[in-house]
């Protein structure tokens, strides 16, 4: 039996999901959270759908053992490649960021650009979600394979980061998009750079803001919304806890206490597939 005092689990490959965590703090400060970063296996954006599904199942199994009341995939790549499958497999509410982002974008957008990892772009999950809501909307999906590495290495304000961002955004600016979706949770960490390169009229949609609204609705419906008080967030990583803590501090506003956990080895089946993009 779930109860409202249980934690909500969030996960990402790294620090990207902190953009969702921050929205949780802002919009639902009385909820207790558990955050897992699969930093030993980062980036997810260059992996095959089979690998992502395997990782997501491992994480969900572990999150269920931690007794969370809901899981938010604070990762677009996992949401694009695994959400539909795992939703049928687990007896717990699991939310992904893509539908929330798509719904928010079509409210005003007619010419929508989506920047994301290669895996998300290749899945066309955003185009599909957007055009299901409004088939008249035009969508351009651009992969930005360098962004996650730059963010995880804390190279947010380097000239190179600015140059590569300019390169990624150029085709979208040429198409005169009216809306840009952060199709990877890491990208909000580059907000200043991205905003400075886009025409002022282009609205930016961060699905992180909208997934939290959806999570709140779902918790209320289930009678699981906690309005009382929260306990400190628990952080777990599969990689180096110190590296995660010192990088995260700038977005969290505090130095988190981070526990290291071992993830299962990749199954030999997936290693054999070795199906990288
Ligand atoms: N932050 C994740 C996403 O939203 C994954 C990035 C990565 O590891 O490539 O897609």
């Amino acid at each position: 039996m779930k109860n409202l005092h249980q934690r909500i689990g969030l996960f990402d490959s790294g620090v990207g999901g902190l953009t969702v965590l921050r929205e949780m703090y802002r919009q639902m400060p009385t909820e207790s959270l558990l955050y897992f970063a699969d930093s030993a296996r980062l980036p997810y954006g260059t992996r095959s759908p089979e690998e992502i599904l395997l990782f997501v199942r491992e994480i969900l199994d572990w999150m269920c053992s931690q007794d969370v009341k809901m899981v938010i995939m604070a990762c677009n790549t996992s949401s694009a490649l695994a959400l539909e499958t795992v939703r049928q497999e687990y007896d717990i509410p699991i939310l992904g960021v893509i539908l929330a982002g798509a719904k928010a974008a079509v409210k005003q957008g007619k010419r929508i650009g989506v920047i994301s990892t290669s895996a998300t772009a290749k899945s066309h999950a955003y185009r599909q979600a957007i055009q299901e809501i409004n088939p008249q909307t035009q969508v351009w999906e651009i992969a930005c394979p360098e962004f996650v590495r730059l963010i995880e290495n804390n190279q947010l304000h380097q000239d190179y980061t600015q140059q590569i961002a300019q390169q990624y955004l150029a085709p979208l600016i040429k198409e005169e998009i009216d809306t840009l979706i952060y199709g990877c949770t890491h990208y909000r960490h580059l907000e200043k750079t991205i905003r400075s390169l886009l025409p002022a009229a282009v609205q930016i949609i961060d699905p992180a803001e909208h997934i939290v609204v959806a999570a709140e609705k779902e918790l209320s419906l289930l009678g699981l919304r906690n309005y009382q008080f929260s306990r400190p967030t628990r952080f777990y990583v599969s990689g180096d806890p110190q590296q995660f803590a010192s990088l995260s501090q700038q977005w969290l506003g505090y130095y988190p206490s981070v526990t290291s956990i071992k993830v299962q080895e990749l199954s030999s089946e997936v290693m054999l597939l070795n199906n990288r993009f």
Side-chain angles (χ1 to χ4, degrees):
M1 258 307 261
K2 300 263 166 276
N3 74 69
L4 54 88
H5 297 290
Q6 288 169 292
R7 291 173 190 269
I8 299 171
L10 294 99
F11 75 87
D12 182 39
S13 59
V15 294
L18 296 178
T19 57
V20 182
L21 186 93
R22 264 192 327 198
E23 277 302 319
M24 294 290 294
Y25 287 163
R26 195 174 69 82
Q27 296 186 41
M28 292 203 272
T30 50
E31 293 290 347
S32 304
L33 310 176
L34 178 158
Y35 187 91
F36 173 67
D38 197 1
S39 48
R41 302 191 290 198
L42 177 145
Y44 274 13
T46 49
R47 293 191 180 266
S48 69
E50 290 80 6
E51 281 177 300
I52 297 295
L53 187 58
L54 179 87
F55 298 171
V56 168
R57 284 187 178 131
E58 283 174 0
I59 295 166
L60 289 173
D61 287 345
W62 177 76
M63 287 223 165
C64 289
S65 77
Q66 298 297 303
D67 221 15
V68 297
K69 63 180 176 182
M70 167 183 272
V71 175
I72 300 179
M73 290 186 176
C75 169
N76 288 264
T77 309
S78 307
S79 307
L81 300 178
L83 179 64
E84 266 180 44
T85 308
V86 295
R87 256 202 185 140
Q88 330 281 325
E89 299 173 349
Y90 290 82
D91 186 23
I92 183 175
I94 307 172
L95 274 62
V97 271
I98 290 180
L99 188 59
K103 277 189 187 162
V106 291
K107 282 200 179 128
Q108 289 170 44
K110 296 278 168 288
R111 301 176 67 79
I112 301 176
V114 185
I115 49 173
S116 72
T117 64
S118 304
T120 301
K122 207 173 166 181
S123 77
H124 299 299
Y126 269 103
R127 170 172 300 156
Q128 224 173 306
I130 290 168
Q131 292 185 337
E132 242 167 60
I133 307 169
N134 182 354
Q136 259 79 58
T137 313
Q138 282 185 275
V139 183
W140 291 269
E141 294 163 296
I142 299 281
C144 309
E146 295 253 20
F147 274 172
V148 167
R149 185 183 57 82
L150 291 168
I151 295 162
E152 291 285 339
N153 290 333
N154 208 11
Q155 292 176 292
L156 305 175
H157 308 294
Q158 260 75 348
D159 288 348
Y160 178 73
T161 308
Q162 178 88 13
Q163 283 158 21
I164 197 89
Q166 198 163 9
Q167 212 172 297
Y168 290 147
L169 294 172
L172 297 175
I173 295 170
K174 197 163 156 239
E175 292 294 349
E176 299 187 343
I177 56 163
D178 54 28
T179 302
L180 178 83
I181 303 179
Y182 292 140
C184 171
T185 50
H186 277 78
Y187 298 174
R188 173 89 180 251
H189 295 319
L190 291 178
E191 185 169 30
K192 277 203 186 110
T193 304
I194 293 173
R195 185 71 270 180
S196 74
L197 292 167
L198 289 175
V202 175
Q203 62 157 348
I204 296 181
I205 299 290
D206 182 3
E209 289 170 28
H210 306 281
I211 188 60
V212 175
V213 175
E216 156 131 58
K217 274 192 199 143
E218 177 109 10
L219 288 171
S220 302
L221 269 174
L222 297 169
L224 291 175
R225 179 78 170 91
N226 180 8
Y227 291 102
Q228 293 169 6
F229 58 88
S230 62
R231 289 164 285 149
T233 304
R234 282 199 195 142
F235 291 91
Y236 297 87
V237 295
S238 57
D240 180 347
Q242 253 158 16
Q243 194 183 326
F244 179 86
S246 42
L247 182 62
S248 300
Q249 200 179 4
Q250 63 189 303
W251 299 299
L252 292 172
Y254 62 88
Y255 192 88
S257 147
V258 184
T259 307
S260 151
I261 58 162
K262 282 204 177 78
V263 285
Q264 283 174 353
E265 293 297 317
L266 278 179
S267 76
S268 50
E269 201 184 317
V270 170
M271 288 225 277
L272 276 176
L273 283 171
N274 197 17
N275 205 359
R276 285 168 188 252
F277 291 152

